[in-house]
Amino acid sequence: MRQALVLAAQGLGRTSPNPAVGAVVVRDGVVVGSGYHHAAGQPHAEVEALREAGEAARGATVYITLEPCSHHGRTPPCTDALITAGVARVVYACPDCDERCAGQAEAILREAGIETQCGPLADEARRLNEAYFKFKQAGRPFVTLKLALTLDGRCATREGDSQWITSEASRRRVHRLRDQMDAVMVGAGTVRADDPALTVRLVESHDGRQPVRVVLAPEGLAATARFFREPGTTVVVMDGDRFNAALFSDHRPVEREEVDYALLHARQDRFDLSEVLEELAARKLMSVLVEGGPTLAGEFLEAGLVDKLVFFYAPKLLLDDEARSPRVEGRKVSKIAAALNFQIDAVEQIGPDLMVTLYPCSPD
């Protein structure tokens, strides 16, 4: 099952709106077939693994990271493929949450004489597909907020300089996170200040795929922004009331088929972030890595839309009260009880830095 989970992870950021799934076929203690779901519309993990196993699949055990599907979608049911292959036993890590097939595989397989078991490494399997479960159950993308901070919680100097707070090793890890996401999001302020590419560069992508770039730009953008020249799709979220008059600050169109525009109404030059996520969900984007500046980070936190926090702490101190930190304008906290509560999931040293992963605490 661990081998199947490793395989499944290769599909992260590539299978939306499907889950990332891996499968391993074992016969007489030997792996005879393996596979993972590469993209929506392509064969599921079970089919890939059974094809590789061939006749060796007959009488074998198949380990799958998620309950096999039992409905006709863009591909036939995987339960049918398992039955046809003549496997003796199916072990899957956790149930699916898709209402079209959730909880149905066990009865179908057992009726065909196939032994089934659910449960091994269930927590790891659910964590792997946390974006899929959020998307299916809440109807919006799973939001990961990434911030690079000094030990005193600052993400930029008072002049806005932030390159580079953390080490190259940490930046490589961020690029690995990007590679596993459907989309990367920043605000127009970050584009103007840093002119980022928003692409995967510092690590090798096994298929060359790039995440969708999402830029929140109520007042428009310069057509010369670097990310416009990068390969892949860009979604620019604009104020619909200003779209015709101020598409770009220099009024020059960008002629690229990959540029998509989501038109929303900005209130005081800010978007309703729930509406933004609804727009991305409509584009079947299940996971978003928010890499914007302190203002965007604070707005996501205040809106309660952060599903995971990833902090990279550099062993540095600015010791400057006017240095920038994640904030929400107008938010004043007089009691510790009003703090946003998170639980630490993992702490890892990355080069000289610390990477801290946190999840919101469940309300009592």
Side-chain angles (χ1 to χ4, degrees):
M1 188 64 78
R2 291 198 183 278
Q3 184 173 337
L5 286 168
V6 171
L7 287 166
Q10 296 185 55
L12 289 173
R14 292 151 172 83
T15 63
S16 299
N18 294 344
V21 181
V24 174
V25 183
V26 178
R27 183 171 178 177
D28 299 327
V30 177
V31 173
V32 294
S34 61
Y36 69 95
H37 186 37
H38 291 253
Q42 295 188 20
H44 288 189
E46 298 92 321
V47 174
E48 288 252 325
L50 291 171
R51 284 178 180 173
E52 184 175 290
E55 282 300 313
R58 192 162 299 279
T61 296
V62 184
Y63 296 87
I64 314 165
T65 58
L66 189 69
E67 176 185 2
C69 68
S70 53
H71 68 285
H72 283 271
R74 296 171 68 176
T75 59
C78 290
T79 49
D80 287 0
L82 293 162
I83 294 169
T84 301
V87 304
R89 182 168 172 251
V90 171
V91 181
Y92 56 94
C94 66
D96 199 343
C97 64
D98 190 326
E99 60 183 12
R100 296 171 297 178
C101 61
Q104 298 180 25
E106 181 176 359
I108 292 171
L109 294 174
R110 287 192 173 180
E111 185 176 349
I114 299 174
E115 180 186 348
T116 64
Q117 180 183 352
C118 175
L121 304 184
D123 290 343
E124 290 91 330
R126 290 192 186 94
R127 179 63 57 83
L128 178 80
N129 272 308
E130 58 191 1
Y132 168 75
F133 282 98
K134 170 64 72 172
F135 184 80
K136 282 291 185 181
Q137 295 170 341
R140 70 162 177 85
F142 184 95
V143 175
T144 300
L145 174 61
K146 184 275 302 182
L147 284 168
L149 302 167
T150 61
L151 289 179
D152 47 350
R154 305 296 178 170
C155 55
T157 66
R158 63 174 68 190
E159 287 81 17
D161 180 39
S162 62
Q163 296 183 345
W164 298 101
I165 289 177
T166 54
S167 65
E168 183 176 350
S170 290
R171 296 196 295 276
R172 285 197 299 270
R173 179 59 67 89
V174 171
H175 279 243
R176 178 58 64 201
L177 283 174
R178 287 183 185 178
D179 185 54
Q180 296 179 334
M181 298 287 169
D182 288 337
V184 177
M185 179 189 294
V186 297
T190 295
V191 173
R192 297 187 186 105
D194 300 335
D195 196 20
L198 302 178
T199 56
V200 176
R201 302 181 307 280
L202 300 185
V203 295
E204 184 177 352
S205 173
H206 69 272
D207 57 3
R209 165 260 178 201
Q210 291 291 346
V212 174
R213 297 177 289 272
V214 179
V215 181
L216 307 187
E219 296 182 337
L221 290 166
T224 55
R226 180 182 178 188
F227 68 85
F228 280 126
R229 304 191 298 272
E230 299 293 338
T233 301
T234 298
V235 177
V236 179
V237 183
M238 297 284 296
D239 188 328
D241 294 341
R242 305 178 188 176
F243 182 73
N244 293 327
L247 176 56
F248 299 106
S249 57
D250 58 5
H251 303 289
R252 287 185 295 154
V254 174
E255 297 180 356
R256 287 191 63 217
E257 294 181 358
E258 298 89 347
V259 179
D260 183 13
Y261 299 101
L263 302 182
L264 301 176
H265 176 62
R267 300 169 182 84
Q268 297 181 338
D269 295 330
R270 294 181 184 177
F271 294 108
D272 183 323
L273 295 178
S274 293
E275 293 181 1
V276 171
L277 294 179
E278 287 177 7
E279 286 289 322
L280 300 185
R283 290 162 173 78
K284 298 182 179 180
L285 299 173
M286 296 196 309
S287 58
V288 178
L289 179 64
V290 176
E291 291 197 58
T295 301
L296 185 61
E299 290 175 358
F300 263 98
L301 288 166
E302 180 70 2
L305 293 173
V306 175
D307 300 299
K308 180 194 286 189
L309 273 175
V310 180
F311 283 175
F312 289 87
Y313 282 103
K316 300 174 182 178
L317 294 169
L318 291 186
L319 301 178
D320 183 348
D321 288 341
E322 295 186 24
R324 299 183 184 181
S325 61
R327 62 189 175 86
V328 177
E329 289 188 5
R331 177 177 169 86
K332 299 184 184 299
V333 179
S334 59
K335 300 289 185 180
I336 292 296
L340 302 179
N341 292 316
F342 292 80
Q343 56 186 4
I344 296 175
D345 180 71
V347 179
E348 181 180 355
Q349 184 162 354
I350 309 293
D353 309 321
L354 282 184
M355 173 181 169
V356 183
T357 302
L358 309 97
Y359 288 87
C361 291
S362 300
D364 295 332

